[in-house]
Amino acid sequence: MKLATYQNGRRDGQLMLVSRDLANAVAVPDIAHTLQQLLDDWHELSPRLEQKYQALNAGTLDGVVAFDETLCLSPLPRAYQWADGSAYVNHVELVRKARGADMPESFWTDPLVYQGGSDSFIAPRASIPLASEDWGIDFESEIAVITDDVPMGISADKAAGHIKLLMLVNDVSLRNLIPAELAKGFGFFQSKPSSSFSPVAVTPDELAGNWQDTRVHLPLVTHLNDGLFGKPNAGVDMTFNFAQLVAHVAKTRPLGSGAIIGSGTISNYDRSAGSSCLAEKRMLEVIADGKPSTPFMGFGDRVRIEMFDDAGHSIFGAIDQQVVEYKG
Amino acid sequence: MKLATYQNGRRDGQLMLVSRDLANAVAVPDIAHTLQQLLDDWHELSPRLEQKYQALNAGTLDGVVAFDETLCLSPLPRAYQWADGSAYVNHVELVRKARGADMPESFWTDPLVYQGGSDSFIAPRASIPLASEDWGIDFESEIAVITDDVPMGISADKAAGHIKLLMLVNDVSLRNLIPAELAKGFGFFQSKPSSSFSPVAVTPDELAGNWQDTRVHLPLVTHLNDGLFGKPNAGVDMTFNFAQLVAHVAKTRPLGSGAIIGSGTISNYDRSAGSSCLAEKRMLEVIADGKPSTPFMGFGDRVRIEMFDDAGHSIFGAIDQQVVEYKG
């Protein structure tokens, strides 16, 4: 199934069922008004929605409209949980190498995760308003899963069954605020402004054979302004799969339905695939040339993040956002 | 006004208006079913609720029941934002001193805040289930505010007006998991299991003259099992007030309605007032005796956190929780 949330003037928007080809959509108020409502009662409601999805794809449903990604909010415009991993450990290793620091061996066996803020996600086609270019504005192209209720202490094996939906993420980072903030010892806060998610969230079966071992085996394609920036394969070099990430964050607390768990920046050892954030590209420049040559994002710069199936069709719709000056 | 959330089998519970003396309560479905609904539309709904509150206190309202704290969930059983400060910097300084580390001077001017998880708060009278006593189970007695929508980049002066409610918090910490987790560099995750909040949330005017400069000038009373553990005054030695904490967390992102911002562990330089967490008491023992003598909490141990007005009446009801073994 494919699901989106249309803006309707309400904070949680209007849940829309979207056809597989992203051509059509339909509201399903008889089943759920919002995605959170659906997730709160997934076990009961999703079979009914699945029937409707078959009819939508078959063209036998009434009330259908042409799907418009520009009307979408993030699938969960606000969420109760957003935890982002760093599952592509080669990326972490690279960042450390560029600043001459060793990475602890435990990073290969113990997932690194940060607790994100989830009260103010930005729509996938909305601007990213920030007050200063001096903050070192960066995108991070990632994948995230949404779970139903996950019991505390769950094993990775069992966690896999709690993954209900997948999305793409732009986890915006303010690189120049990070060093001072992390030096304080309590992790990110001001250095992580609001994230954005793809127009459409999809059930894992939509990825067919490209969803294996709770990894997505497809390239994640990022464009910066008019140029291809990177297309690393999300299934390659993902040290921890999503089931392991979910189990990690549920070790000492349960997860509530609608919890979003991210992969961290997608990154391949094969650097010819390009990168999924400016920081990685700059680190590669530091290692090659002694200094970075690619600037961070400025006002007016645009990033586009999407993923295509084997036939070349967009799976999730596109995150496409311009950074703009905030004058609040 | 005083507000609570009764368990009713639904995730967000039933909003209850509670009388000033905590004797009576009434559902207000004509105004809002849940606290989040009320906060989402606070400007419009709160005047109507205020009228009802006057009638409830005057004893002229129908449908009133005796208020029962044991039926309460946390006022927001799940929230979109939970950020916890460390506003009592003397406490941070003490913890550092005990391990022989200096504290950066900037900690006196730049608030330290961590991003908490908010999808699974525990009810104020429910047990705290944890899998292992080896984790170093500790309580932290704190105060938190709830805001309405706060624009990004707001000043502390203007942030004060966005504080709509206050609560008490038990911010449970797993002390023996913290060092390894913070060493990874991304802050707390597994070391911060689910928090609990007081049965009742109150508007600032309920504190009358004890709410000054967005600080609560009353002792926060903690009992561990049958003994008084501490009663430091929350208005003393609070380096950053709530308005400053709100402005800090809203520097690069807006806060959504219902955002919860905590004070951090209440702590006074006057150590005769006692402490608000076991870690502080243990640090004082380390400084005095070279080693701690007070153990962390074990299964069966109970903590009670409450605050009384000048006449000795409970303001928020009591958090009263027993740690139990989780066998999930």
Side-chain angles (χ1 to χ4, degrees), chain A residues 5 82 105-106 111 148 192 200:
Chain A
T5 296
W82 159 230
E105 269 304 300
S106 63
D148 61 1
K192 289 286 186 181
V200 175

Side-chain angles (χ1 to χ4, degrees), chain B residues 11 21 26 95 97-98 113 121-122 165 208 239 284 292 297 322:
Chain B
R11 292 170 186 270
D21 62 3
V26 65
V95 171
K97 187 175 169 190
V113 170
F121 295 139
I122 298 177
L165 293 167
T239 307
L284 290 165
M297 295 180 89
Q322 191 172 38

Side-chain angles (χ1 to χ4, degrees), chain B residues 163-279:
Chain B
I163 296 171
K164 299 306 175 193
L165 293 167
L166 292 115
M167 307 181 284
L168 307 182
V169 192
N170 181 14
D171 180 49
V172 180
S173 292
L174 302 174
R175 299 293 180 185
N176 295 340
L177 300 187
I178 289 179
E181 194 155 58
L182 293 194
K184 291 160 75 175
F186 278 14
F188 305 101
F189 205 102
Q190 295 179 337
S191 50
K192 290 285 186 181
S194 302
S195 299
S196 302
F197 295 85
S198 52
V200 175
V202 313
T203 47
D205 61 292
E206 292 291 336
L207 299 173
N210 293 314
W211 175 250
Q212 292 287 343
D213 194 27
T214 68
R215 290 179 178 87
V216 178
H217 294 265
L218 286 168
L220 183 62
V221 183
T222 302
H223 285 81
L224 178 61
N225 296 320
D226 294 328
L228 176 66
F229 187 81
K231 49 175 184 178
N233 190 305
V236 175
D237 303 324
M238 189 187 194
T239 307
F240 305 103
N241 65 20
F242 279 110
Q244 290 170 307
L245 294 176
V246 170
H248 180 84
V249 298
K251 182 182 175 186
T252 63
R253 55 188 301 151
L255 301 181
S257 63
I260 306 174
I261 314 298
S263 65
T265 305
I266 313 291
S267 177
N268 290 169
Y269 269 117
D270 174 6
R271 304 299 177 196
S272 72
S275 296
S276 300
C277 68
L278 288 162

Side-chain angles (χ1 to χ4, degrees), chain B residues 3-326:
Chain B
L3 298 160
T5 296
Y6 266 13
Q7 50 183 268
N8 66 348
R10 299 180 66 88
R11 292 170 186 270
D12 299 300
Q14 171 70 53
L15 177 65
M16 300 294 286
L17 187 63
V18 182
S19 63
R20 181 163 289 135
D21 62 3
L22 306 187
N24 299 306
V26 65
V28 286
D30 53 318
I31 296 176
H33 293 282
T34 69
L35 181 54
Q36 185 65 50
Q37 278 184 354
L38 174 64
L39 287 158
D40 283 350
D41 212 359
W42 181 269
H43 185 73
E44 189 192 336
L45 299 178
S46 63
R48 292 169 51 197
L49 202 57
E50 181 68 41
Q51 286 192 332
K52 221 159 208 177
Y53 185 61
Q54 301 307 333
L56 175 63
N57 286 321
T60 59
L61 214 57
D62 288 336
V64 170
V65 296
F67 178 57
D68 183 349
E69 294 182 26
T70 68
L71 299 181
C72 290
L73 302 174
S74 285
L76 289 170
R78 51 182 181 174
Y80 298 106
Q81 174 60 274
W82 159 229
D84 198 13
S86 293
Y88 298 82
V89 178
N90 84 85
H91 168 79
V92 180
E93 187 182 43
L94 179 71
V95 171
R96 300 253 172 159
K97 187 175 169 190
R99 57 175 155 103
D102 283 338
M103 188 182 75
E105 270 303 301
S106 63
F107 276 39
W108 294 104
T109 53
D110 178 36
L112 181 62
V113 170
Y114 83 87
Q115 177 66 64
S118 53
D119 53 334
S120 61
F121 295 139
I122 298 177
R125 299 300 182 92
S127 300
I128 302 168
L130 290 167
S132 174
E133 291 177 320
D134 295 339
W135 289 344
I137 303 164
D138 199 357
F139 56 86
E140 293 188 30
S141 308
E142 310 186 3
I143 300 170
V145 300
I146 306 179
T147 72
D148 61 1
D149 292 293
V150 179
M152 174 162 59
I154 197 167
S155 67
D157 275 356
K158 287 185 178 167
H162 291 279
I163 296 171
K164 299 306 175 193
L165 293 167
L166 292 115
M167 307 181 284
L168 307 182
V169 192
N170 181 14
D171 180 49
V172 180
S173 292
L174 302 174
R175 299 293 180 185
N176 295 340
L177 300 187
I178 289 179
E181 194 155 58
L182 293 194
K184 291 160 75 175
F186 278 14
F188 305 101
F189 205 102
Q190 295 179 337
S191 50
K192 290 285 186 181
S194 302
S195 299
S196 302
F197 295 85
S198 52
V200 175
V202 313
T203 47
D205 61 292
E206 292 291 336
L207 299 173
N210 293 314
W211 175 250
Q212 292 287 343
D213 194 27
T214 68
R215 290 179 178 87
V216 178
H217 294 265
L218 286 168
L220 183 62
V221 183
T222 302
H223 285 81
L224 178 61
N225 296 320
D226 294 328
L228 176 66
F229 187 81
K231 49 175 184 178
N233 190 305
V236 175
D237 303 324
M238 189 187 194
T239 307
F240 305 103
N241 65 20
F242 279 110
Q244 290 170 307
L245 294 176
V246 170
H248 180 84
V249 298
K251 182 182 175 186
T252 63
R253 55 188 301 151
L255 301 181
S257 63
I260 306 174
I261 314 298
S263 65
T265 305
I266 313 291
S267 177
N268 290 169
Y269 269 117
D270 174 6
R271 304 299 177 196
S272 72
S275 296
S276 300
C277 68
L278 288 162
E280 181 175 293
K281 186 173 168 71
R282 289 164 56 92
M283 290 302 159
L284 290 165
E285 291 165 352
V286 167
I287 291 166
D289 312 322
K291 61 180 173 51
S293 50
T294 302
F296 288 122
M297 295 180 89
F299 301 139
D301 280 339
R302 179 173 283 281
V303 63
R304 185 178 172 96
I305 303 167
E306 54 198 325
M307 181 175 270
F308 302 94
D309 65 18
D310 298 325
H313 300 125
S314 178
I315 299 171
F316 301 93
I319 296 171
D320 194 333
Q321 302 185 282
Q322 191 172 38
V323 174
V324 300
E325 185 173 7
Y326 176 72

Side-chain angles (χ1 to χ4, degrees), chain A residues 189-300:
Chain A
F189 205 101
Q190 294 178 337
S191 48
K192 289 286 186 181
S194 302
S195 299
S196 301
F197 295 85
S198 52
V200 175
V202 313
T203 47
D205 61 291
E206 293 291 337
L207 299 174
N210 293 315
W211 174 249
Q212 291 286 344
D213 194 26
T214 69
R215 291 179 177 87
V216 178
H217 293 266
L218 286 169
L220 183 61
V221 183
T222 302
H223 284 83
L224 178 63
N225 297 320
D226 294 328
L228 175 65
F229 187 81
K231 50 175 184 177
N233 190 305
V236 175
D237 302 325
M238 189 187 194
T239 308
F240 305 103
N241 66 18
F242 279 110
Q244 290 170 308
L245 294 176
V246 170
H248 180 86
V249 298
K251 182 182 175 187
T252 63
R253 55 187 304 150
L255 301 181
S257 63
I260 306 173
I261 314 298
S263 65
T265 305
I266 313 291
S267 177
N268 289 169
Y269 269 117
D270 173 6
R271 305 299 176 196
S272 72
S275 296
S276 300
C277 67
L278 289 163
E280 182 175 292
K281 187 173 168 74
R282 288 165 55 93
M283 291 302 160
L284 289 166
E285 292 165 351
V286 167
I287 291 166
D289 313 321
K291 60 179 174 51
S293 50
T294 301
F296 288 121
M297 295 180 87
F299 300 139

